[in-house]
């Protein structure tokens, strides 16, 4: 598996970090996780044809994680020569079906005619195929936010989305080869509903994760020693995410 960080920032504009989005390549197939503003453009820069993305996984419904879903659909239904034919599968937390229906009620021209969209809501459970297992568990950021664990090719990848320190996230991250956790603020500015470097490191240490990637930075993080704060509680490899960074799982 290969991870491509599309956006390592948040909803606050930054000249160096885009809104949240990740691609995990499983057997060469791109799985998209979240789609903040600019995701479609960064897919192009990463060399990924958005028409080849068949699976999108959403952690929660906040706009900095979902706004480019509308752009994604627009590019597949109205652009001559770019309309897709394969079905699109969207996995999201509780309430995502209703969210999607309301999106189409606002923008009815986004409804596809040449393919179908299949939406599945998950909370705590597993999706299985012959090639991979995807597990979801709550992360505590909102009442319905979830993180994802992907087991494939003998490796384990975990992505928290926005999160707080909680037992379910530690369990989701157990023995991960590559654990991607949000790290919105430095320790000194801890905010409700988000992780700090120390809390992210605590999750990684308790889960026994091999490598930890920190992402979802608010601009203020650039003024603090984020990596050092995390290393104080976690002895494994700490990676500070950058847009378009590629990592083997």
């Amino acid at each position: 598996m290969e991870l491509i960080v599309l956006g390592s920032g948040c909803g606050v504009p930054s000249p160096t970090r885009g809104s949240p989005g990740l691609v995990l390549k499983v057997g060469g197939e791109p799985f998209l996780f979240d789609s903040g503003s600019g995701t479609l453009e960064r897919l192009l820069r990463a060399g990924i044809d958005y028409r080849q993305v068949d699976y999108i996984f959403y952690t929660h419904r906040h706009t900095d994680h979902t706004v480019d879903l509308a752009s994604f659909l627009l590019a597949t239904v109205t652009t001559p020569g770019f309309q897709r034919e394969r079905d699109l599968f969207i996995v999201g937390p509780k309430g995502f079906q209703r969210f999607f229906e309301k999106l189409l009620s606002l923008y009815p021209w986004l409804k596809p005619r040449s393919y179908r969209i299949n939406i599945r809501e998950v909370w705590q459970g597993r999706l299985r195929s012959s090639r991979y297992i995807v597990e979801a568990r709550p992360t505590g950021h909102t009442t319905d936010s979830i993180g994802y664990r992907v087991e494939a090719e003998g490796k384990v990848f975990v992505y928290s989305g926005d999160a707080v320190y909680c037992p379910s996230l530690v369990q989701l991250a157990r023995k991960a080869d590559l654990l991607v956790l949000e790290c919105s603020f430095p320790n000194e500015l801890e905010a409700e509903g988000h992780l700090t470097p120390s809390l992210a490191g605590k999750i990684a240490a308790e889960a026994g994760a091999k490598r930890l990637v920190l992402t979802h930075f608010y601009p203020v993080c650039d003024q603090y020693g984020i990596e050092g704060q995390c290393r104080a509680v976690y002895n494994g490899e700490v990676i500070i995410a950058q847009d378009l960074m590629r990592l083997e799982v």
Side-chain angles (χ1 to χ4, degrees):
M1 289 189 288
E2 181 189 28
L3 171 69
I4 305 173
V5 179
L6 299 178
S8 59
C10 60
V12 176
S14 164
T16 57
R17 299 186 185 277
S19 293
L22 303 173
V23 165
L24 181 69
K25 285 191 171 182
V26 181
E29 180 179 1
F31 289 2
L32 176 60
F33 290 83
D34 289 337
S35 61
S37 177
T39 292
L40 204 62
E41 182 268 340
R42 285 190 295 277
L43 280 171
L44 180 65
R45 291 173 60 191
I48 298 172
D49 187 337
Y50 68 91
R51 293 169 296 178
Q52 302 304 313
V53 175
D54 294 334
Y55 293 88
I56 307 178
F57 297 85
Y58 284 102
T59 57
H60 60 298
R61 300 189 302 271
H62 286 169
T63 52
D64 60 325
H65 292 253
T66 61
V67 71
D68 248 25
L69 175 57
S71 299
F72 185 97
L73 296 177
L74 181 67
T76 65
V77 301
T78 64
T79 308
F82 289 89
Q83 291 141 330
R84 66 180 290 138
E85 296 181 356
R86 299 199 307 270
D87 288 356
L88 177 65
F89 298 87
I90 300 177
V91 180
K94 294 184 297 185
F96 203 88
Q97 176 73 49
R98 185 167 181 268
F99 166 82
F100 185 75
E101 291 170 355
K102 285 187 172 292
L103 179 67
L104 292 187
S105 71
L106 286 171
Y107 308 113
W109 53 87
L110 296 181
K111 185 176 181 178
R113 294 176 175 82
S114 59
Y115 68 95
R116 293 180 302 174
I117 296 177
N118 302 280
I119 294 178
R120 176 157 182 185
E121 295 183 0
V122 294
W123 176 237
Q124 297 189 70
R126 290 186 168 192
L127 309 175
R128 295 177 179 267
S129 84
S130 60
R131 296 185 295 111
Y132 55 81
I133 298 173
V134 179
E135 180 180 354
R137 286 180 180 264
T139 63
H141 172 64
T142 64
T143 57
D144 52 13
S145 63
I146 55 175
Y148 291 99
R149 175 188 179 94
V150 181
E151 300 177 22
E153 303 172 5
K155 299 288 186 176
V156 175
F157 165 82
V158 176
Y159 171 49
S160 69
D162 289 4
V164 300
Y165 172 83
C166 57
S168 62
L169 184 50
V170 174
Q171 181 65 17
L172 190 72
R174 66 197 183 282
K175 304 299 181 183
D177 292 284
L178 190 64
L179 171 61
V180 180
L181 295 179
E182 74 116 297
C183 183
S184 295
F185 299 98
N187 292 342
E188 295 85 346
L189 299 174
E190 182 176 351
E192 183 178 357
H194 289 286
L195 294 175
T196 62
S198 291
L199 290 174
K202 182 179 180 181
I203 291 170
E206 292 182 2
K210 296 178 183 178
R211 290 185 294 160
L212 172 61
V213 178
L214 300 179
T215 191
H216 197 270
F217 299 112
Y218 276 74
V220 68
C221 288
D222 293 337
Q223 303 172 29
Y224 292 81
I226 297 297
E227 184 175 344
Q229 291 181 353
C230 184
R231 289 186 182 280
V233 294
Y234 174 62
N235 294 325
E237 182 180 358
V238 178
I239 301 167
I240 303 300
Q242 306 290 338
D243 287 14
L244 301 181
M245 171 184 281
R246 292 175 179 258
L247 296 168
E248 291 295 323
V249 177

